[in-house]
Every structure is written in C-alpha cells, then in structure tokens.
Amino acid sequence: MGAPSYERSSPRDLVYDVATAKNPDGSKYKLDIATNTLVTKVNFDTTGEKPKATGVDYLFGESLYRANPRASLTEDGGIPGSVSRSREAILYDGTFNTPQILKLSGVGPADELEKFNVPVIKNLPGMGTNLQDKQTPTYLHRYELGVTAEVSSDFVLVEKCCYLADGDECYDQYINGEGALKGPYTIGGLAVGYFMTSSQAEGEHDIWVGGLPAIDEIRPLDGSSFTQVWPPRNVTDDDAALREWIAEEAWGHHASCLCPIGADGDPMAVLDSSFRVRGIDGLRVVDASAFPKVVGTFPVLSIYLMSEKSADVILADLAA
Ligand SMILES: Cc1cc2nc3c(=O)[nH]c(=O)nc-3n(C[C@H](O)[C@H](O)[C@H](O)COP(=O)(O)OP(=O)(O)OC[C@H]3O[C@@H](n4cnc5c(N)ncnc54)[C@H](O)[C@@H]3O)c2cc1C
C-alpha cells in the first residue's frame, strides 16, 4: 500500500476515468455510459434448458422513473431501445430497482408474478424478500437521528473554511498544501465518530455517534460546553416524549439484501456466491441487494469490496 494522497475521490471519478481511458494503440477503452437511460426489462432466450439473459430494454429520456420528483415534468414516456449483451448482463440498479426490474422481467416469486400477469421466466421465491434496515428489534440500530448543539467558541478545525466562497483559506490549503497539510477538505466532513454499546446491545456495539461541524451551528471540540438545540430539553427530559420524537424523526438509509446470495439448496437464495442469478445463464447482480445480511455500520465500503470481488470472479470466469 502506498502513502495516502489526501486527495478526494469518488466512484464517479473512477467510472469517468475508465470511460475515457485509451488502450495502448490509442483506441478508446471499451466502456460506454448511457445517461438518461432507464432500463425497463431484461430479455431472455428461453429455447434452451435454462433461460439465458440476452440483453435489456430501455427508455431514453429525462426523469422517466415515476418515483423521480421531476417525472411529472417530462412530456413523453421516452424513446424505447434495447441492447444485446456480448457475454453477460450485470445489474447494479440498487436495492429496490434491481429486484423490481427482475420481477418485471419474469424473475421472482411465481405467485406474485402471476398475480400481475407477468410471464414467469424463473420462479425465485426469495427475490424481493429479506429487506433489511427496517423497523424490527433486530435492525432498529440502523436508524439515524440528527441532534444539534451550539457551542460558545469557534470550531478550530474549520474556522478558516467558507466552503468555496471568496477567500476560502481551506480551499487554498487543499490546492497548495502537501500530504496531511492539505487540511480540513481532505476529510469527509465528520470531525469525530465513535462506537457505543447501549444497555440493549446483543454483544457488539450497537450505536455509532458522529459529529459534523456545520457552519454557524456546531463548532469546536475544544472543550467548550454544548448547549442542546434539537431535540428540545422538554423532549429529552421525558421518556415518553423522547420515544415519540425518535419514532417521528428516525430515518433509515441502508436498505439492502432483497436479492440475497445464498447457499445451494436454500430455497430463498437469489444469487450464488459468484453473483449469478440462480437458474439463469448470463445474468449477475452486484449491488447492495446482493448481501444476505445487512453489512457493517456503513454499507458503501462493503459495496466497494463486493465490486472488487465480483470483478475477480468475472475475470476468473472469462479465463476459465
Ligand atoms: C441520504 C443517504 C445517505 C447515505 N449515507 C451513507 C454514508 O454516509 N455511508 C455509507 O456507507 N452509506 C450511505 N448511504 C447508503 C449508500 O448510499 C447505499 O447503500 C449505496 O449507495 C447502495 O449502493 P448500490 O450500488 O447498491 O445502489 P445505488 O448507489 O443506489 O446505485 C444504483 C444506481 O442504479 C441507477 N438505476 C436504478 N434503476 C435504474 C434503471 N431502471 N435504469 C438505469 N439505472 C437505474 C440509480 O440511478 C443509481 O445510480 C446513504 C444513503 C442515503 C439514501
């Protein structure tokens, strides 16, 4: 592992770099990205013993997904198109959309598909089940709550930051500094984070606490005393009111596991350990829906690891 570069990066940068990369002979590296393109269906060749994914149908146009708040602004239903796969199709449309597309394509619980007159390509009873990060006693710990406090002095870490406004010394430091001297903009925004084990924990820690400095709201971890702003004192002084506040304010955003990887013989398994959709040729799923159990505190790192793993198994299959 090399020395840290202290530079910000994102999956978007990686995808962009690959899409614009050149082969040694100067030709474009083979990754095409279609924006404003909504996949609606996976197509199958059903003439063999096993259905084989042959490609996808899509609609081209802006904000076509009906759950998109901008969808009502679109005037038409999009321009239909389709694309064929050369080797296999890999879905990574996220926890809810991957099983939705598969069900609309005929892959899922047969009784549910029949109810909506979707021709069944493959009965997979586990598809769309197993949602995690939902309000059950076991997964309640995935809920997030925001609290706000004021302190009496400036937060030293960000006192010179004005978030790209004129005279932003932190930005100058980020651009001109070297290594760790690049300053506060090299971190993700969290000034502090730690795990706690509550009296309700079943073994490991079950609470993660993080602190974000917000402009003019929360400042230093310099020992200043905090003044509670939200929730108000009358809420935290009353157990019943606090419970109600939590029920009103808590929100979940680590939904996962609707297309779970599972063992051979497990009737609820949707994927095998190589991310292949069971009972279908040429189709894989690589996103948060593939986990059998909700992963560690924040899922993105595990999703990156899953992506790396899937690249390994796909390359190994290509080489076989
Ligand atoms: C507000 C919020 C904050 C979060 N903060 C954190 C955090 O701090 N740390 C952390 O680890 N996790 C965080 N998460 C969770 C994390 O973002 C998700 O778990 C993760 O993005 C899931 O990755 P994915 O690849 O499975 O799906 P996604 O990231 O949802 O990617 C799916 C992609 O598929 C596209 N898509 C969907 N349907 C179609 C279709 N039909 N056709 C074409 N494209 C389609 C979508 O537009 C999307 O780009 C947060 C989530 C939310 C909502």
Side-chain angles (χ1 to χ4, degrees), residues 37-40 65 92-95 97-98 100-101 144 251-255 286-289 297-301 303:
T37 304
L38 180 75
V39 172
T40 51
Y65 192 60
Y92 46 92
D93 300 275
T95 292
N97 290 78
T98 291
Q100 182 184 49
I101 293 168
E144 182 167 322
W251 55 294
H253 52 299
H254 295 169
V286 184
D287 60 31
S289 70
T297 313
F298 292 99
V300 156
L301 179 61
I303 294 168

Side-chain angles (χ1 to χ4, degrees), residues 5 10 25 80 143 178 187 206 226 228 244 246 267 278:
S5 68
S10 75
D25 66 2
Y143 274 73
E178 291 289 333
I187 63 168
D206 60 345
F226 287 79
Q228 182 176 331
E244 194 182 325
I246 291 171
R278 287 185 174 275

Side-chain angles (χ1 to χ4, degrees), residues 70-84:
R70 291 183 297 259
S72 59
L73 303 176
T74 58
E75 288 173 9
D76 57 43
I79 302 163
S82 63
V83 62
S84 305

